[in-house]
Amino acid sequence: QVITMVRRISHRLSPEMLTKFGLGDALHHTIQQLADSGAIRARFESRGELGRLSPERELAAYRIVQELLNNMIKHSGASEIVLRLSRQARELVVTLEDDGRGFSQETFNALKSTPGGLGLKNIQSRLDILQANINFTDNGPGRAGTTTRLGIPLGQDTSQQDAGEGDAALYRGPE
């Protein structure tokens, strides 16, 4: 029983899909589980070869997206979520769109520094670790929802091997 509990805790800390296959596959799997649950329409899109970040950076990025998805489901009233993942110039970009109540950058900045809101504080702390940036855009009157863009710099903890197009290489996992 204790072994089962430890395995469950370990899995929650570092999902096997993330460890074995990387951020793209783990996020795709998460979105697929959301869609299969029937709780919300969810779609995943990915463009191009994404490669791998270091395990620590992948986990931090995964946890940020997990918290964003949780907040969208709990607070936005959305009926649909789209997650897009791409590599652009020197960053990995995760874009989340929903059709719920809007959420702005100003709201994020205000809430992350108030008592409570542990999820937003966790997002900010992981952003700091990754030296990443996040931008929330309320789609405004007449257009429901929020577009969230997470930009994760590449090359901060990786080798120069197989960099391609001048970018620092992505982590390729154990050889």
Side-chain angles (χ1 to χ4, degrees):
Q1 192 175 18
V2 171
I3 292 171
T4 303
M5 185 187 323
V6 169
R7 277 186 160 160
R8 240 186 256 135
I9 291 169
S10 175
H11 176 73
R12 288 182 187 142
L13 292 176
S14 185
E16 186 175 359
M17 178 71 71
L18 179 65
T19 306
K20 285 187 176 181
F21 302 108
L23 184 61
D25 287 340
L27 292 176
H28 185 214
H29 181 72
T30 299
I31 290 296
Q32 190 61 53
Q33 285 183 313
L34 250 178
D36 290 348
S37 76
I40 193 165
R41 288 188 316 272
R43 193 172 76 234
F44 177 86
E45 298 173 6
S46 177
R47 284 185 248 143
E49 176 60 36
L50 301 172
R52 298 282 307 261
L53 299 169
S54 70
E56 297 80 15
R57 291 174 65 76
E58 282 189 335
L59 182 58
Y62 180 79
R63 293 295 183 217
I64 289 171
V65 175
Q66 208 174 28
E67 186 62 38
L68 291 169
L69 288 169
N70 184 49
N71 287 344
M72 288 173 160
I73 292 164
K74 281 173 51 177
H75 303 297
S76 78
S79 62
E80 182 173 15
I81 293 173
V82 178
L83 187 152
R84 291 183 183 87
L85 189 58
S86 64
R87 182 178 175 186
Q88 300 176 5
R90 293 186 169 272
E91 66 180 356
L92 187 64
V93 177
V94 180
T95 305
L96 286 158
E97 294 180 15
D98 71 50
D99 63 352
R101 287 185 290 282
F103 186 81
S104 68
Q105 188 68 39
E106 294 76 26
T107 304
F108 174 73
N109 292 338
L111 290 175
K112 71 181 183 186
S113 58
T114 60
L118 186 59
L120 296 179
K121 287 177 178 51
N122 286 337
I123 288 172
Q124 185 59 57
S125 118
R126 289 181 174 116
L127 288 169
D128 294 343
I129 289 167
L130 292 170
Q131 296 180 346
N133 61 71
I134 197 163
N135 186 292
F136 297 91
T137 304
D138 182 337
N139 292 333
R143 291 188 58 212
T146 301
T147 300
T148 304
R149 183 189 187 281
L150 170 63
I152 304 162
L154 299 174
Q156 306 225 335
D157 58 347
T158 57
S159 71
Q160 290 295 320
Q161 167 189 7
D162 192 29
E165 299 181 21
D167 287 349
L170 293 171
Y171 178 80
R172 303 261 182 236
E175 309 247 339

